[in-house]
Amino acid sequence: MKCCEMKGYLTYLILWIIGKNSMNGAEIGRELEKRRGTKPSPGTIYPALKELKKKGLIEIDENKNYSLTPEGKKELKSSCKFFCNIFYDMEEMSDFCE
Amino acid sequence: MKCCEMKGYLTYLILWIIGKNSMNGAEIGRELEKRRGTKPSPGTIYPALKELKKKGLIEIDENKNYSLTPEGKKELKSSCKFFCNIFYDMEEMSDFCE
DNA sequence: TAGTATATATCGGATAACCAATACTACACA
DNA sequence: TGTGTAGTATTGGTTATCCGATATATACTA
């Protein structure tokens, strides 16, 4: 996977994952590991969460569970549209790799 | 689209696009414009093509038409699998943004 | 021939994205 | 009280990714 590593989807994915179920940082890490194959290092995930929080897109409760703010939901929806527009033919991709 | 810009998918997209139809640089640019909304600058697309060519994934004919090499096809397939694994729930995404 | 539009290409740089290493915190349990 | 484990967090980078500006090539047209 030297070429086409597709960096850059991580922040979007975090929003997407949290949007489905609010969870803590470690759980997010495990969920990302399932998808990517490798577990992101703490130095990847916590700064990303911090940034999203700073932007007001996610919030954190007393149990360190992260969830989307109303703004975060809006942003997720808009990013999702963007994503689906770029990959409008993703079903073909699914078919293509069996 | 400040957050979640999703940089990093471009090279993969180029492989995907060329895999469907071989075309020249300008046509690739227009295809990307359709998907992203903005047209990538020449300084984006030609270096990317150069890099892919250098890696032996694409080749260019006398009419400057780019197409996948056998290696490129393999790489596309592998990247595609990677992509589909990361976004295994992409149908939900499609539904989510109407 | 000159002029215009389109396509190709390079260069230098900005910044986003990510990671490894490290340290701190909280909690269980012996 | 001490030890171990899991989770949280920061720091200091490295690198990929992409863009703006600029230049060259090609080709069509007046």
Side-chain angles (χ1 to χ4, degrees):
Chain A
M1 194 59 51
K2 276 287 202 30
C3 160
C4 309
E5 274 181 280
M6 291 180 286
K7 284 186 175 188
Y9 54 77
L10 189 113
T11 318
Y12 170 61
L13 255 188
I14 290 178
L15 280 191
W16 174 250
I17 289 170
I18 293 177
K20 295 175 90 169
N21 298 303
S22 68
M23 54 181 80
N24 66 27
E27 289 169 325
I28 295 170
R30 284 192 290 267
E31 175 64 27
L32 288 169
E33 185 182 14
K34 266 193 248 168
R35 293 170 182 260
R36 312 191 316 171
T38 58
K39 186 176 206 140
S41 95
T44 297
I45 185 149
Y46 290 101
L49 289 170
K50 192 180 176 186
E51 187 62 20
L52 287 170
K53 194 176 143 209
K54 189 178 142 203
K55 283 179 177 158
L57 301 177
I58 64 177
E59 59 196 353
I60 177 170
D61 68 12
E62 68 281 354
N63 296 322
K64 306 266 183 172
N65 266 42
Y66 291 90
S67 57
L68 296 185
T69 60
E71 249 119 315
K73 282 177 194 169
K74 265 198 283 180
E75 174 65 28
L76 173 57
K77 191 144 193 163
S78 130
S79 293
C80 204
K81 260 181 199 165
F82 188 61
F83 180 85
C84 290
N85 203 51
I86 290 177
F87 297 106
Y88 71 88
D89 49 358
M90 44 185 162
E91 303 92 22
E92 286 178 52
M93 287 184 191
S94 303
D95 297 344
F96 180 68
C97 53
E98 286 118 358
Chain B
M1 193 60 51
K2 274 294 200 23
C3 159
C4 309
E5 274 183 281
M6 290 180 285
K7 282 187 177 190
Y9 54 79
L10 190 114
T11 319
Y12 169 61
L13 256 188
I14 290 178
L15 280 191
W16 174 250
I17 289 171
I18 294 178
K20 294 175 90 173
N21 298 303
S22 68
M23 54 181 81
N24 66 26
E27 289 168 327
I28 295 170
R30 284 191 290 268
E31 177 65 26
L32 289 169
E33 186 181 13
K34 268 194 247 170
R35 293 171 181 259
R36 313 191 316 170
T38 59
K39 185 175 207 142
S41 96
T44 298
I45 185 148
Y46 290 102
L49 288 171
K50 192 180 175 186
E51 187 63 20
L52 287 170
K53 194 175 142 208
K54 189 179 143 202
K55 284 177 177 158
L57 302 177
I58 63 176
E59 60 196 353
I60 177 172
D61 69 13
E62 68 280 353
N63 297 322
K64 306 267 185 171
N65 266 39
Y66 291 89
S67 58
L68 296 183
T69 62
E71 248 120 314
K73 283 178 194 168
K74 264 198 282 181
E75 174 65 27
L76 173 57
K77 191 143 194 164
S78 132
S79 295
C80 205
K81 262 182 197 160
F82 188 61
F83 180 85
C84 291
N85 204 50
I86 290 177
F87 297 105
Y88 71 88
D89 49 0
M90 44 183 158
E91 302 92 20
E92 286 178 51
M93 288 186 191
S94 303
D95 297 343
F96 179 68
C97 54
E98 288 118 354

